[in-house]
Amino acid sequence: MIRSFLPSLRRARLQVPAPVMLLIGMFTLHTGSALAVTAFAQASPATITWLRLTWAAVLLLALGGRSLWWAVRGATWRERASVVILGTASAGMMMFYSEATARIELGTATAIEFLGTLVVAVAAMRRRRELVWIAAAVAGVLCLTRPWEGDLDLVGVGFALAGAVCVVFYIVLTQKVGAGFGAVHGLALTMAVGSLVTAPFGAPGAFAAPDPGLILFTLLIALLFPMVPFLLEMIALQRMTRTAYSTFSSMEPGVALVMGLVVIGQAPVALQVVGMALVVVAGIGATRGERGGRPAVPELVHERRQGRGRAVPGPEAAREDAESGSARAGADAGAPGPVPEPGIAGTGDPAPEPAGTAAASGEGRTA
């Protein structure tokens, strides 16, 4: 079943548009987040987060199989260090977010954490016209948070801001880890690191009063968040620029608002509905503006030979190179060129895959 899953994931990656992947990931993520809030009455946010990360790590490590070991052996020290940092950032992002949603509304916590995504979008900005979408997203976040009304739980706000810092590292490093290991392998290693990082905070509560029903419930939550949305994001980030990803993700506060209403009854006021509309417009505008752009990290497929890895252009990159090469053929007629290696762009053959794994992620790419 695992072997048949990887080719299916690769086919889906080629057929499903990256923005659709992000939307699916957003709804599953915030469904899982809302369900996690209901579990905080039985265990601390740290314990629930550790159980979710541990379940995700176990499932993904099993999915990776023996090929995961070869991927780790063939990786460089820099790639391994990126996994450790990403795992730590992901653990912090989830832990701080859980602590925030235990104190403030789901939509508000998401809007504050979105500031990290916004920082990445602004840092990657290259065209002034894109500032329109950033401005719309900022206005939407302000409407969702309504900082001028009521008394917010400052501890909850502080946890959400800490999560925003972790989001910056998550976006940047997710692309690098996806390029080095692929979505399934990269996410498996990231979740394993995250489980180890959060163990000192969450494991004692789980072992002190084990609850089989709660443990099984966290398995369901782990599938919804982090496993499915993180996997989809890692794949989507290979095909989107950071600006498009960051601004499109500005829809998350709105999605969180909807799921907070549907799952746990956190009803928005009229101004928050306006804010949701603003961030949706900003997300669509950013996606349209980046349609012709290249992904932040080019697609790669990793070939493992004799326990060592070598990055080669993936299938989509190969097609692009072949098309651009044929367009230049007239001008370059008669000019000698290098003899392509088997499976490399220009031969017509597909790029090789590592034994048992694949370019499941689009492998080819770093939140």
Side-chain angles (χ1 to χ4, degrees), residues 53-290:
L53 283 166
T54 302
W55 273 121
V58 169
L59 293 173
L60 286 164
L61 289 172
L63 188 63
R66 287 182 296 178
S67 60
L68 179 60
W69 168 246
W70 291 109
V72 173
R73 287 190 61 184
T76 65
W77 282 106
R78 180 169 295 183
E79 288 173 332
R80 295 171 191 167
S82 295
V83 169
V84 173
I85 300 173
L86 176 60
T88 303
S90 299
M93 184 174 66
M94 289 184 60
M95 180 80 76
F96 292 136
Y97 183 72
S98 294
E99 293 287 354
T101 55
R103 295 167 172 82
I104 59 180
E105 291 183 349
L106 192 70
T108 302
T110 305
I112 295 172
E113 195 174 75
F114 166 71
L115 295 176
T117 308
L118 191 62
V119 167
V120 175
V122 171
M125 195 67 61
R126 294 184 179 180
R127 294 194 298 259
R128 290 184 179 180
R129 65 188 182 192
E130 290 173 350
L131 291 174
V132 173
W133 310 122
I134 296 295
V138 170
V141 169
L142 289 174
C143 291
L144 286 164
T145 54
R146 297 172 299 153
W148 55 85
E149 292 184 7
D151 295 325
L152 285 177
D153 186 312
L154 294 180
V155 175
V157 171
F159 278 124
L161 287 172
V165 175
C166 294
V167 166
V168 174
F169 293 97
Y170 169 80
I171 294 174
V172 175
L173 290 167
T174 291
Q175 290 179 319
K176 291 182 180 177
V177 170
F181 293 93
V184 175
H185 289 169
L187 190 57
L189 295 170
T190 298
M191 294 296 98
V193 172
S195 177
L196 292 174
V197 169
T198 55
F201 307 98
F207 288 112
D211 183 343
L214 179 63
I215 292 173
L216 288 177
F217 185 53
T218 56
L219 170 59
L220 170 63
I221 300 176
L223 292 173
L224 295 172
F225 177 41
M227 186 170 170
V228 170
F230 280 13
L231 186 62
L232 291 176
E233 284 185 352
M234 190 170 281
I235 295 172
L237 271 165
Q238 298 170 9
R239 298 158 55 189
M240 302 178 73
T241 64
R242 288 180 190 169
T243 301
Y245 167 83
S246 299
T247 315
F248 190 85
S249 295
S250 64
M251 288 189 291
E252 283 208 39
V255 173
L257 200 69
V258 171
M259 300 317 297
L261 171 64
V262 173
V263 180
I264 53 180
Q266 294 179 344
V269 299
L271 187 61
Q272 290 176 310
V273 175
V274 173
M276 181 175 64
L278 283 172
V279 292
V280 168
V281 169
I284 294 174
T287 304
R288 287 172 61 88
E290 291 290 344

